[in-house]
Amino acid sequence: MKKISRRNTIKFGLLGGLAGLLGVGSSVARILTIPTPEEVEGPFYPLSDQADKDADLTKIIGRKGVAEGQHILVGGHVRDLQGQSIEDVTIEVWQANANGRYRHPHETNKAPLDPDFQGWAILRADKSGVFQFKTVLPGAYPATKDWTRPPHIHLKIHNPGHPTLITQMYFPDNPLNKTDLLFRNKTATEQSAMVARKVGQQGNLTIYEYNIVLSI
Ligand SMILES: [Fe+2]
């Protein structure tokens, strides 16, 4: 039997808590009716490998510290257009740190790096299509002189045998969403599908639900 490490025990504990908060398996979870809208990949898709790809971006293996900023848990379901769970989906996530800075060779923002922030992860949805990850609330950052990107998380969803979906997840009630040159080009329905929903608080951890619908 595979030995379960303390780190994995913590992860399973989070998943249990998340499933309860999301009402997984009940009518509480939000069911979307349109496919998750596509969005551009952007310039900061990870280029180099790293040792730590796990679902906790607030810690890096071998380091004692934790990432700066508001820690958050993001989780949800991957479903098809009929509402059926999809298993065996791999989800890559990447984002700026709490200061709005990517650790990436194309980055020009001079905001501080965070040596304790993992930056990106590779997630796998479980047999019920449920996924979750722990991270920090990303900072806003300047895309151009006149354009500030609101906090967002990039996702690339791989479903074997189907096209890859690239999208971005946004946060509710952020005033920068309205002026974002990408987000404001979406319809209201699309915007609603791209914004996570705040569903709970566990101590200092804010919990968001973000469901993904693939157009199959
Ligand atoms: Fe970005």
Side-chain angles (χ1 to χ4, degrees):
M1 186 177 149
K2 196 175 160 202
K3 191 172 165 228
I4 296 176
S5 68
R6 183 173 169 273
R7 195 175 174 92
N8 280 335
T9 306
I10 291 167
K11 273 198 276 179
F12 291 142
L14 284 173
L15 182 60
L18 181 76
L21 282 158
L22 294 183
V24 170
S26 77
S27 60
V28 177
R30 185 173 62 156
I31 307 291
L32 299 173
T33 53
I34 64 161
T36 299
E38 294 183 47
E39 191 47 276
V40 295
E41 182 175 281
F44 303 121
Y45 177 72
L47 292 181
S48 50
D49 200 10
Q50 63 189 22
D52 197 351
K53 306 173 181 66
D54 74 3
D56 185 353
L57 287 81
T58 67
K59 289 181 189 160
I60 293 179
I61 290 169
R63 292 187 63 89
K64 289 200 174 110
V66 296
E68 298 169 33
Q70 170 66 50
H71 289 196
I72 65 174
L73 191 66
V74 179
H77 257 110
V78 185
R79 294 189 175 97
D80 63 18
L81 285 171
Q82 285 71 47
Q84 298 298 311
S85 299
I86 304 176
E87 58 179 271
D88 291 332
V89 170
T90 303
I91 306 170
E92 296 177 83
V93 296
W94 69 100
Q95 63 167 92
N97 69 21
N99 303 310
R101 167 105 183 236
Y102 289 85
R103 190 186 298 115
H104 193 282
H106 298 159
E107 176 64 285
T108 56
N109 187 5
K110 299 288 185 236
L113 284 167
D114 179 352
D116 293 309
F117 179 54
Q118 187 175 305
W120 58 268
I122 300 176
L123 318 170
R124 195 162 180 94
D126 69 11
K127 292 283 177 201
S128 307
V130 173
F131 68 94
Q132 57 106 39
F133 60 104
K134 187 178 177 187
T135 186
V136 300
L137 185 69
Y141 63 83
T144 67
K145 186 163 64 67
D146 306 314
W147 172 22
T148 301
R149 297 242 47 220
H152 61 277
I153 297 176
H154 297 262
L155 301 101
K156 196 181 266 202
I157 298 125
H158 304 272
N159 185 24
H162 298 277
T164 295
L165 170 68
I166 301 173
T167 190
Q168 298 183 25
M169 183 199 103
Y170 296 85
F171 290 85
D173 305 321
N174 191 297
L176 290 169
N177 289 347
K178 283 196 182 73
T179 54
D180 183 59
L181 297 188
L182 297 178
F183 187 78
R184 76 180 190 188
N185 275 339
K186 303 293 185 195
T187 66
T189 306
E190 289 173 331
Q191 289 179 350
S192 171
M194 298 176 88
V195 175
R197 188 169 65 127
K198 188 173 169 181
V199 291
Q201 188 79 33
Q202 284 182 345
N204 293 326
L205 193 67
T206 307
I207 300 166
Y208 291 93
E209 177 188 359
Y210 173 73
N211 291 312
I212 295 168
V213 178
L214 301 181
S215 57
I216 58 173

